[in-house]
Amino acid sequence: QIDHLTSLKTATIAALSNTSVCMRDPQGVQEILHGMQKAGLDTIQVISDFDMTLTRFAHNGKRCPTSHNILDNSQLISDECKAKLKDLLDTYYPIEIDSSKTIEEKLPLMVEWWTKAHALIVQQKIRKDQLALAVQESDAMLRDGYQRFFDCLHRHGVPLLIFSAGLGDILEEVIRQAAVFHPNVKVFSNYMDFDKTGVMTAFKGELIHIYNKREGALLNTGHFQDLRTRPNVVLLGDSLGDLTMADGVQDVESILKIGFLNDKVDERKQSYLNSYDIVLIKDETMDVPNGILDFLV
Ligand code: TMP
Ligand code: MG
């Protein structure tokens, strides 16, 4: 009887049968989902990474830009600086996705990447009023189905925290131009500081890089305090550093971790399966998150 009921309910999340879906423990996923459905949508919050999680990794075989890349490729950056940022990307991105190195080994190198890139960006005298045009002219692309995802969370009053090691000013502009920057969306990220004339002078606050999202979350406990009636978390990420984004949530009841595995799939699949409940392999859509939301509403 129970098996029968379970399989009936499983069928209601058709997207979990997509060929891109891999799960270490499908039964465990079902249990989390049924628990969340029973607890109700008003006990749920969504915490998501931005770059390569809410945005596409590739489109028609061409890489899509991260929030950093949007700025790097824009007219706001000199050719000389573009070349230096490109060298940094070519040096450090392979390290980011190297499965033979531990997070502990990668951490100082990632801090080095972010520190060097941000020092170069700060020298560029970027004008605040030109960021919107840079985003407009970029190849930034949210994943297919993004509109349904953002609109569904908004309609049902589910808070969405976007927790990004990218550039906050740029990513906000991406979701604003896509008309999905709804009032239920809150962003933790690296924000630029501008002088009175609107020229960038520095980055504000503590640097968020790919492996300190836990510290970032713990610095922002006030936000999570406001959400303490929502102990069930749906977490979306594309890096193993994204797994700690929910560490600021107190008295968590359950977390469903959904990970997009975009690159170096064979080498990284096992570690993703070990840490994410649902792994989406080279899936450029929001179909699975949307299918899950449909099940929960
Ligand atoms: P995320 O946490 O929002 O995904 O942002 C981190 C991504 O930003 C990570 O995949 C690496 C990328 N990145 C760049 O593309 N260029 C840069 O200069 C830096 C520092 C990071
Ligand atoms: Mg990411």
Side-chain angles (χ1 to χ4, degrees):
Q1 173 82 31
I2 287 167
D3 279 353
H4 176 62
L5 278 178
T6 307
S7 64
L8 266 183
K9 289 206 167 173
T10 309
T12 61
I13 308 186
L16 285 181
S17 310
N18 290 357
T19 52
S20 63
V21 175
C22 288
M23 292 180 271
R24 166 191 78 245
D25 175 14
Q27 187 58 39
V29 168
Q30 290 297 329
E31 280 161 20
I32 295 173
L33 283 169
H34 289 131
M36 285 185 174
Q37 192 196 41
K38 204 163 154 231
L41 217 51
D42 56 357
T43 69
I44 290 171
Q45 55 179 305
V46 179
I47 303 181
S48 179
D49 170 53
F50 185 73
D51 292 304
M52 310 294 113
T53 296
L54 292 176
T55 52
R56 288 182 70 118
F57 178 76
H59 180 59
N60 290 335
K62 191 171 166 266
R63 280 292 303 271
C64 293
T66 61
S67 52
H68 278 97
N69 302 152
I70 291 172
L71 186 68
D72 302 354
N73 299 337
S74 77
Q75 293 180 16
L76 304 184
I77 303 286
S78 70
D79 288 346
E80 191 195 344
C81 183
K82 275 193 170 79
K84 288 184 185 163
L85 288 165
K86 167 88 171 42
D87 281 347
L88 291 178
L89 183 71
D90 293 343
T91 307
Y92 292 103
Y93 178 66
I95 301 171
E96 178 190 336
I97 57 165
D98 184 346
S99 57
S100 73
K101 285 193 174 65
T102 63
I103 292 185
E104 288 69 31
E105 288 172 306
K106 293 186 207 186
L107 186 129
L109 298 164
M110 294 297 105
V111 174
E112 215 171 88
W113 182 13
W114 258 257
T115 308
K116 287 180 179 170
H118 284 199
L120 286 168
I121 290 169
V122 168
Q123 290 168 6
Q124 293 297 297
K125 301 199 166 30
I126 290 164
R127 295 194 53 89
K128 187 177 169 65
D129 59 7
Q130 294 183 343
L131 293 175
L133 186 64
V135 170
Q136 217 171 305
E137 290 179 339
S138 76
D139 298 325
M141 270 183 106
L142 291 161
R143 284 186 193 273
D144 289 4
Y146 74 86
Q147 192 158 17
R148 228 181 102 200
F149 177 77
F150 279 89
D151 289 353
C152 175
L153 294 176
H154 176 228
R155 196 166 55 248
H156 294 281
V158 176
L160 167 61
L161 171 66
I162 298 178
F163 199 157
S164 170
L167 302 175
D169 307 79
I170 300 275
L171 84 82
E172 282 196 6
E173 197 52 43
V174 172
I175 55 177
R176 192 174 295 121
Q177 291 184 17
V180 292
F181 197 1
H182 302 312
N184 63 317
V185 179
K186 161 107 187 149
V187 182
F188 294 169
S189 188
N190 297 304
Y191 280 94
M192 300 174 182
D193 212 354
F194 300 95
D195 67 16
K196 284 197 295 292
T197 66
V199 174
M200 183 191 180
T201 53
F203 279 97
K204 290 180 191 167
E206 298 290 320
L207 172 74
I208 302 176
H209 58 75
I210 193 165
Y211 293 131
N212 71 348
K213 292 193 176 184
R214 182 185 150 76
E215 288 78 353
L218 297 178
L219 278 174
N220 286 283
T221 43
H223 164 79
F224 296 106
Q225 197 70 28
D226 292 343
L227 298 184
R228 61 188 184 281
T229 56
R230 295 180 176 269
N232 294 307
V233 181
V234 177
L235 179 147
L236 302 167
D238 79 295
S239 144
L240 298 180
D242 295 329
L243 290 156
T244 60
M245 292 188 299
D247 286 14
V249 184
Q250 287 137 46
D251 305 320
V252 172
E253 243 162 63
S254 63
I255 307 193
L256 182 71
K257 295 174 177 165
I258 305 173
F260 288 92
L261 178 50
N262 302 308
D263 203 2
K264 290 260 185 283
V265 168
D266 294 338
E267 295 97 305
R268 298 200 290 166
K269 187 169 167 188
Q270 196 53 52
S271 61
Y272 273 61
L273 278 171
N274 292 343
S275 359
Y276 280 105
D277 301 304
I278 301 175
V279 179
L280 302 174
I281 295 186
K282 288 195 180 290
D283 182 338
E284 297 289 0
T285 76
M286 294 301 280
D287 292 353
V288 167
N290 284 337
I292 287 171
L293 289 181
D294 287 347
F295 175 77
L296 295 177
V297 299

